Amino acid sequence: MKFFIDTANLDQIREAMDLGILDGVTTNPSLMAKEGIRGEENIRKHYIDICNIVDGDVSAEVIATDYDGIIREGKELAGLHPQIVVKVPMIKEGVKAIRQFSKEGIRTNCTLVFSPGQAILAAKAGATYVSPFIGRLDDISTDGVELIAQIVDIYRYYEFDTQVLAASIRHTMHIIQCAEVGADVVTCPLNPILGLLKHPLTDIGLEKFLADHNKK
Ligand code: E4P
């Protein structure tokens, strides 16, 4: 299972990278705005900065919602750096654009996916990644992890190449649950990743080992 970090914060990306477990980054327009990155030029420079920190894929989201605009913007984003994956929303024009990008060898991440039907369309169109948002489903009393399980089953049954990228992860247990149902990738904020480190018996055990070692 690959680990992506879901942020545009360069310090957090560096911290996850330093841990040695980071495979990529996802961003979205809200995460960019949260870091105060505004304006086309600054946003594009920020994507390049992110690519220069990490070794893996970096999702950069298009703003356009019409076919021609998505194609134009997606090609510009993909041209910024070889690590860029073009993030395209699950709308009719987006599906058409993903198909075209796939034909041209441009990698895509189909975002804002909330149902198995949408995930089937993304795979049929040739998306590299599909991003089901599990936290936002949980927020409306629907089981987000169950959606990941359904999509993984469907993709395995038909041997689709599209990778299931579990997004909108809110806590550490989401990561474990996504691993249990076979998600290819999880993208999460830094804190849920760091949460995986924690166990009180580890702390107690280490304290005892060190105390025993230091006994005279
Ligand atoms: C996915 O790529 C999105 O950037 C992200 O996971 C959305 O998460 P949120 O629901 O916490 O905003």
Side-chain angles (χ1 to χ4, degrees):
M1 184 172 69
K2 286 192 260 185
F3 271 61
F4 290 178
I5 189 166
D6 194 30
T7 184
N9 182 291
L10 299 184
D11 289 337
Q12 291 189 12
I13 294 170
R14 280 191 201 96
E15 188 174 339
M17 196 63 200
D18 282 350
L19 199 54
I21 50 80
L22 194 65
D23 299 299
V25 177
T26 53
T27 61
N28 64 40
S30 303
L31 292 172
M32 282 293 200
K34 190 174 164 195
E35 298 308 317
I37 315 297
R38 296 182 192 281
E40 207 173 289
E41 206 173 308
N42 289 334
I43 289 173
R44 290 181 182 190
K45 182 189 168 300
H46 203 73
Y47 285 138
I48 294 170
D49 289 345
I50 293 174
C51 289
N52 287 335
I53 296 172
V54 297
D55 290 331
D57 292 345
V58 174
S59 288
E61 189 157 341
V62 297
I63 303 300
T65 54
D66 63 295
Y67 176 79
D68 290 338
I70 295 173
I71 294 290
R72 188 177 52 250
E73 210 184 322
K75 284 184 179 178
E76 286 167 9
L77 290 171
L80 289 176
H81 198 283
Q83 286 167 238
I84 294 280
V85 174
V86 181
K87 208 171 176 190
V88 180
M90 169 39 76
I91 55 175
K92 201 184 205 178
E93 301 297 289
V95 171
K96 283 159 59 180
I98 288 169
R99 183 81 207 127
Q100 184 57 31
F101 286 138
S102 167
K103 280 185 190 160
E104 296 184 30
I106 293 173
R107 296 177 309 137
T108 53
N109 174 355
C110 183
T111 189
L112 290 167
V113 165
F114 293 93
S115 75
Q118 291 178 323
I120 291 170
L121 285 178
K124 291 284 293 176
T128 312
Y129 297 101
V130 65
S131 287
F133 279 32
I134 65 175
R136 293 192 194 185
L137 281 170
D138 287 2
D139 288 345
I140 56 159
S141 308
T142 303
D143 190 341
V145 174
E146 176 56 27
L147 174 62
I148 301 295
Q150 283 177 295
I151 297 171
V152 166
D153 282 351
I154 293 167
Y155 281 12
R156 298 243 163 99
Y157 189 83
Y158 289 102
E159 298 182 346
F160 283 126
D161 291 332
T162 304
Q163 296 177 57
V164 181
L165 193 171
S168 185
I169 284 185
R170 300 282 163 76
H171 49 73
T172 302
M173 272 312 291
H174 268 156
I175 301 177
I176 307 293
Q177 290 162 343
C178 286
E180 282 175 340
V181 299
D184 299 294
V185 191
V186 284
T187 188
C188 19
L190 183 60
N191 274 342
I193 298 175
L194 296 179
L196 293 168
L197 284 166
K198 294 179 191 160
H199 199 289
L201 290 180
T202 303
D203 299 337
I204 293 166
L206 183 60
E207 200 178 327
K208 174 94 168 59
F209 283 156
L210 294 179
D212 287 345
H213 173 80
N214 290 329
K215 268 180 195 159
K216 298 258 156 57

